[in-house]
Amino acid sequence: MLDTSRETVPATTDAPAEEPRGCLFALSQPPLMIFLGVIGCLLLLAAVNDLFVR
């Protein structure tokens, strides 16, 4: 159940605050770039086939 109490929780200062990772971090991952490259090549091949074949 959702805790709706107004008690404040003290913040710990031992660990450094991590920076939020955004979209550019996700796009810099090699497996994702390989996947997007393969999908892009398939779309390019489909477009070339549709435009220039026949």
Side-chain angles (χ1 to χ4, degrees):
M1 187 179 288
L2 182 62
D3 183 19
T4 58
S5 62
R6 296 268 182 183
E7 297 175 10
T8 59
V9 179
T12 58
T13 57
D14 297 336
E18 291 187 20
E19 296 180 15
R21 294 180 176 174
C23 183
L24 291 178
F25 175 78
L27 286 176
S28 68
Q29 302 304 309
L32 179 62
M33 292 307 296
I34 292 170
F35 173 75
L36 292 176
V38 168
I39 297 300
C41 287
L42 289 174
L43 288 172
L44 180 66
L45 286 173
V48 167
N49 182 43
D50 193 34
L51 291 173
F52 299 116
V53 176
R54 287 194 228 165

